[in-house]
Amino acid sequence: MDWEAKRQPDYLGLNLGSRVFRPGEDITLRADGSTKGDTLQLTVLKVDESSFDANRDLGDLLYGIATNRNRQAPTEKAKLSEVHSEKTHLKTKDIKRVYVHEQNLKGLPYGIYLVKAQVAEQVDYAWLTVTDIALVTKTEPKKGEAVVVDIDSGQPLPDVSVSITRGASQVDLGKTNSNGLIGFDPMAGGERLTLVSAKRGDARAHTWFYKPSQEQDVLTSHFVTDRPIYRP
């Protein structure tokens, strides 16, 4: 009796290696999967600035950009315009129709972009940010701080606009001080997840945090010797 192993369903995964790139920096992407198709279609879409105005989808949009995990179809969360499209042949596909494909994209100007990859019926997306600023937050129950620095030198950047988004609500915090810092209340609002955004000219940066716990847990430590029972 003839027998044939069951083949896994076709799939596609898109990986950019990094989600943040400098203006003009070449972008290396990797697509891997299994398919009956022979070509990879890449489309680069830029997020329009109007998409960052307060709206019901803003929280989901910023969450996708900051984490590269999407709560809903990413193309439905922002106004997008196509800036690049190309089709390439999958040269590494093996006899089982499995492939790993690497490709370079030319550098892009400042902005937030959504990259779409499609092979046959399989589609995957990845967010990327082209910027020269970096944003970090530090939180505790009574205090939160955001710091904005130059992405290359690490020097603090003053006068950078910072805002926080919880759900569909966006609050402008003001601008960073001479040390690149700005404070905020990490416990405000009813949402557990807070998204933080910084903007200087055309450059943007995004990050996120969960509300810090207010519970004062008691930590207990136990110490034992390496041979508590054995006797020579």
Side-chain angles (χ1 to χ4, degrees), residues 157-173:
L157 297 174
D159 299 320
V160 179
S161 300
V162 179
S163 63
I164 57 175
T165 302
R166 294 183 173 103
S169 176
Q170 186 178 60
V171 177
D172 291 327
L173 298 178

Side-chain angles (χ1 to χ4, degrees), residues 75-93:
T75 53
E76 298 177 2
K77 294 185 292 188
K79 182 179 179 181
L80 302 166
S81 59
E82 183 178 313
V83 296
H84 179 75
S85 180
E86 63 180 277
K87 183 181 290 187
T88 56
H89 183 71
L90 295 175
K91 299 178 180 179
T92 61
K93 193 169 67 169

Side-chain angles (χ1 to χ4, degrees), residues 196-225:
V196 187
S197 303
K199 186 176 187 298
R200 184 184 68 163
D202 294 329
R204 287 182 176 271
H206 303 278
T207 189
W208 57 277
F209 67 88
Y210 286 108
K211 280 185 179 180
S213 174
Q214 291 182 300
E215 298 179 0
Q216 299 298 319
D217 295 329
V218 177
L219 300 179
T220 303
S221 299
H222 300 275
F223 296 90
V224 297
T225 65

